[in-house]
Structure formats: C-alpha cells, structure tokens
Amino acid sequence: MSLLVVGSVALDSVKTPFGQVDSVLGGSATYFATAASYFTDVKLVAVVGDDFPECHLEFMKGRGIDLSGLERSHGQTFRWRGEYGYQLNEAQTLETQLNVFQTFRPKLPPSYLNASYLFLANIDPSLQSEVLKQADAAKWVACDTMNFWIEGKKEALIQTIKGVDLLVINDGEARQLAEEHNLVKAAQRILSWGPKTLIIKRGEYGILMFHADTVFAAPAYPLETVFDPTGAGDTFAGGFMGYIAQQDRTDPATIRKAVIYGSVMASFNVEAFSLDGIRNLSRDAIGRRYQAFSEMTQFEPQ
Ligand code: AMP
C-alpha cells in the first residue's frame, strides 16, 4: 500500500560532541521517506529552493521515493541549525529559516490522491491540515510536530491533531502540548482530543505507546556509538508507518511490531551524521536488529 508524507526537506547544520556538519541533507520528510522506503512505496510532498543540490534528489529517487509532489521554488531551501550536548536526547535549535516554506501551499498531484496511509511529518500545522483535506483516500493518518509549532501555532496544531488516528511526539513535547508534567496524564489529555493512539518518543529510553487503556513500552537499541540523533524521531516514524503500510493492517499486534521496526531504523540513523546511517541498509541488517530487539525484551509471564 502506498504511503504519503508531507514535511520538511531541509539543509541542516548540526553540531554534536563528536563532530559538526554544515548544510547537509535533512528534513522531517526526508528522514521519514528514506526509512519508509525499505518497506513500501513512498510519495513525498514538500518544497525546496533553487539552492537544493541535485545529488540529494538523485539519492531519494534512487531509494524509489516518488518526488512528483516535491516543488522547486525560487529562493532558499528550509534550513535548520541545531546543537546537542552529551545529553543527546534534546536538540537545541539555534536557527530555523523557513525560507520557501513561508509561501508554500501543498497541492497533491493526481497520482497521490489514492494513497492509503498518510504521515503529516513535522511542518507548519496549517500545511498539515491542507494535505489532510486533500488526501481523501487515506484510511490511517499519523502526525508529528515539535516545540517550534506548539509554541507558535498551538490552535492550528490541535485542529490537525483532532483529525488524525495517531500522534507521534517526544516526551518534552507531550508535556508542553498537554500542559501537564506527568506523562500518563498528559497522554490521557492528548487522547481526549481525538487520536486513538499516542506514541511518545523518549530518545535513548525508547518508546511508550498509549492506546485506549493499554500501554506498550519498547526500549531503544543499546548502541556503543551515537554520533548524531538528528532525524531519529522521523526515522522511527518512517520505519513504523512503512511497516504498517506494507502489512496494510493497523491491529494492535501489527502496531507493536511496527514500533520495533521504527526503533530498528532509528537505531541505524543515530550511528552517523545526516542520513548516512540509513542510506544503504540491507534487509538482512534490518532483520538481524529486529531479532536482537526481540531477544532483548523476551521474558516469561508470571
Ligand atoms: P528530529 O530530530 O526527528 O526531530 O528531526 C530533525 C529534522 O527536523 C531536521 O532534519 C530538521 O531539518 C527538521 N526540522 C527542524 N525544525 C523544523 C521545523 N520547525 N519544521 C519542520 N522541520 C523541522
């Protein structure tokens, strides 16, 4: 089943305690689509400026990502600059330049209208809503966001959240959005707005998923080398939604497996800067890490 994503395609400059990169390929939709491309067909909606290097488009096309919905506008590509300390869970945003996203109005090409699964990656919530209105055939919709939009566009964001099946955000964002420090209470408040499922990303501490009265927890893969956490959340979402779309099922058991595939993809991503950790993975490598997750969390019921 095909999977549609709207989000940012960006040029990132990132500093971590282990190195620094300037104007490298980034963006929420880029990480998402690359991770999802290992599981299913992906269609991408975004905008880039005339400074966007052709080699990045070639890379995405090479992964089979459909770029008919990627506009090229006059002006500069979206740029994000961030820094991490040894506490790698939290990025400090130093600069966000919306550039061509400021005037972007997403319009889905006709070939995108039949996509069954939709992911509204981190982007202006008003643009997320515009895509949601156009994607009539989408039978399951998930959404991400970040503090930038919670602070700047909270009303529009809550409107978007009301129309989705699943929200995927990190723990700090969940607390900020719900205005509630306790994560369980924050989850209850967010679920009361409409989504049936909430996934809270907790960086190196893994994932908490809330669905009706149930909670599912998954660890992050314990890694020796974590170079750059940028895009870990989007990569998680790409593996997660990619698996759901591949299986074309959203029952609780499939969703739990999808959480693990998302965690597997995110674990590869943080091992290198930019998208280098997920550019060229083998099915075997993905399968072996999934198996390692399974063994790591096996225990007998009481
Ligand atoms: P993550 O680390 O998963 O939160 O995602 C990092 C990616 O999100 C980077 O590649 C950035 O280009 C992109 N990004 C950062 N801020 C924003 C924003 N305000 N809107 C959309 N994308 C953003």
Side-chain angles (χ1 to χ4, degrees), residues 13-21 82-85 94 227-228 273:
S13 297
V14 179
K15 192 172 172 190
T16 80
F18 315 105
Q20 171 168 358
V21 285
E83 187 172 338
Y84 299 83
L94 302 175
F227 268 109
D228 175 15
F273 274 100

Side-chain angles (χ1 to χ4, degrees), residues 12 77 122 141 169 171 188 203 231 252-253 271 288:
D12 287 348
T77 299
N122 178 23
V141 182
I169 49 176
D171 45 359
Q188 283 161 353
E271 288 180 301
R288 275 198 304 274

Side-chain angles (χ1 to χ4, degrees), residues 136-156:
D136 278 346
K139 53 183 183 184
W140 213 65
V141 182
C143 168
D144 187 8
T145 191
M146 73 181 292
N147 51 6
F148 187 82
W149 305 114
I150 300 172
E151 282 152 23
K153 289 224 170 178
K154 190 160 178 185
E155 279 315 305

Side-chain angles (χ1 to χ4, degrees), residues 8 10 12 26-28 31 78 80 84 96 122-123 146 148-149 229-234:
S8 56
D12 287 348
S28 55
Y31 281 104
F78 175 93
W80 178 75
Y84 299 83
T96 303
N122 178 23
I123 198 179
M146 73 181 292
F148 187 82
W149 305 114
T230 309
D234 307 307

